[in-house]
Amino acid sequence: VRARVMEVTESPDVSYEDIGGLEDQMQEVRETVEMPLENPGMFDDVGIEPPSGVLLYGPPGTGKTMLAKAVANQTDATFIKMAGSELVHKFIGEGAKLVRDLFKVAREHEPAVIFIDEIDAIAATRTESKTSGDAEVQRTMMQLLAEMDGFEERGEIRIIAATNRFDMLDRAILRPGRFDRLIEVPKPGKEGRELIFEIHTRGMNVSDDVEFTALAEEADVASGADIKAICTEAGMFAIRDDRTEIRMDDFRDAWEKIQADGDETDDVSK
Ligand code: ATP
């Protein structure tokens, strides 16, 4: 069970240079996660507790997982990822045990960054989690809080959680000593989008006619994940046309296709 729900990576291959347009967020993650891992004595010397948990919140595909991976990479920490939804839905009755296992694995792999994606699945307000698994969800969350509250003895372990549903979170997890640093990770602005286009085309054979500034303007609602998809799809358009060089029109067609596909998916879910 452990192997299937927990993703353990000794050295994730994401670095800060791979992340576009989140300078402030990166800075804050570095201060709150990287510094205490690299220089724990500094917090002792100053006489303050480093933050135990950091919560990243914002829309899907904006780079929350990347930020967590990059900080683990930078600090040579093991990256241990678990999705909140898997914790409670896939292995009913196992949630609390999996949380205990998660921290055990982290202790065995210090320094470690624990990343809990979709934390809202285990830490939703009581009123909103009215499914039959309610008691199970509560038990899982209690175990998580217990692990975090015993944090001083925890050594070189930092916890990063992420959610797309900040509004749904049980405030208990936001108390001091728990996820007491909140970092909003929004969709990229125009400049951010341009940087993300540049990042994702680094290894691509891009024609001279491609203007990232214009693309960033046109793809005005795109997330980072959308931009990555645009770049890959643009490459596909070139291949279909039997070219090795990707042109401006390929990017435009790709963005149109991705928007159309997205609309279809929306319709299906309605
Ligand atoms: P979710 O909430 O859906 O889990 P997330 O915010 O964790 O999403 P990531 O998994 O970090 O999003 O991003 C998905 C992919 O989108 C990344 O692997 C990357 O290719 C691309 N991406 C997203 N944001 C950025 C960014 N700011 N800079 C560069 N690439 C990005």
Side-chain angles (χ1 to χ4, degrees):
V1 170
R2 193 196 265 190
R4 270 183 293 161
V5 283
M6 226 182 276
E7 175 193 318
V8 181
T9 317
E10 289 301 335
S11 167
D13 56 0
V14 176
S15 70
Y16 295 121
E17 292 81 60
D18 299 325
I19 304 175
L22 295 173
E23 288 80 13
D24 294 347
Q25 288 80 357
M26 231 181 282
Q27 178 63 30
E28 211 169 336
V29 166
R30 297 188 78 152
E31 275 173 26
T32 50
V33 183
E34 188 179 311
M35 275 172 46
L37 277 177
E38 289 194 330
N39 198 351
M42 180 144 174
F43 284 81
D44 289 342
D45 293 347
V46 175
I48 59 167
E49 295 280 339
S52 357
V54 174
L55 179 76
L56 308 176
Y57 66 98
T62 47
K64 296 182 287 300
T65 308
M66 289 187 98
L67 276 171
K69 281 189 173 167
V71 79
N73 179 9
Q74 178 69 29
T75 51
D76 290 317
T78 310
F79 179 76
I80 307 171
K81 178 180 162 181
M82 194 177 258
S85 57
E86 305 219 322
L87 264 176
V88 291
H89 298 312
K90 274 214 182 140
F91 305 97
I92 309 283
E94 298 259 16
K97 182 177 173 299
L98 283 169
V99 170
R100 268 198 308 278
D101 280 355
L102 181 64
F103 282 81
K104 183 160 174 281
V105 169
R107 281 191 293 271
E108 288 163 4
H109 289 82
E110 271 183 7
V113 170
I114 294 179
F115 180 63
I116 306 176
D117 203 4
E118 303 169 66
I119 183 97
D120 45 278
I122 42 174
T125 47
R126 276 151 227 249
T127 45
E128 297 231 13
S129 60
K130 40 184 177 284
T131 56
S132 55
D134 201 6
E136 157 72 1
V137 172
Q138 286 301 318
R139 263 197 305 279
T140 306
M141 179 168 119
M142 288 325 223
Q143 187 62 41
L144 176 65
L145 296 183
E147 295 283 354
M148 291 190 76
D149 290 347
F151 204 74
E152 288 92 281
E153 306 94 75
R154 206 113 282 150
E156 292 176 32
I157 300 172
R158 300 284 112 190
I159 312 175
I160 304 180
T163 182
N164 307 320
R165 297 295 316 270
F166 183 70
D167 54 311
M168 264 180 55
L169 290 185
D170 190 325
R171 301 290 129 171
I173 71 155
L174 306 179
R175 275 188 211 134
R178 294 173 177 171
F179 294 101
D180 48 11
R181 272 306 181 99
L182 309 179
I183 304 177
E184 184 178 7
V185 183
K187 271 197 175 182
K190 195 166 105 35
E191 272 167 38
R193 291 194 299 274
E194 189 171 338
L195 284 169
I196 299 171
F197 267 113
E198 281 165 12
I199 287 168
H200 284 289
T201 50
R202 266 182 205 152
M204 291 172 51
N205 187 6
V206 174
S207 145
D208 287 341
D209 79 327
V210 173
E211 283 176 48
F212 293 121
T213 319
L215 285 174
E217 252 164 52
E218 289 165 33
D220 60 349
V221 292
S223 66
D226 291 331
I227 293 175
K228 179 184 167 56
I230 293 173
C231 294
T232 306
E233 194 57 47
M236 291 306 299
F237 273 104
I239 288 174
R240 280 184 208 117
D241 201 25
D242 212 16
R243 278 181 281 112
T244 53
E245 205 178 56
I246 307 157
R247 299 178 188 155
M248 190 66 171
D249 279 343
D250 296 323
F251 285 96
R252 291 198 165 116
D253 292 345
W255 175 224
E256 242 171 63
K257 179 172 190 295
I258 282 159
Q259 279 176 300
D261 291 353
D263 290 344
E264 259 168 51
T265 337
D266 288 346
D267 288 343
V268 169
S269 66
K270 263 175 209 157

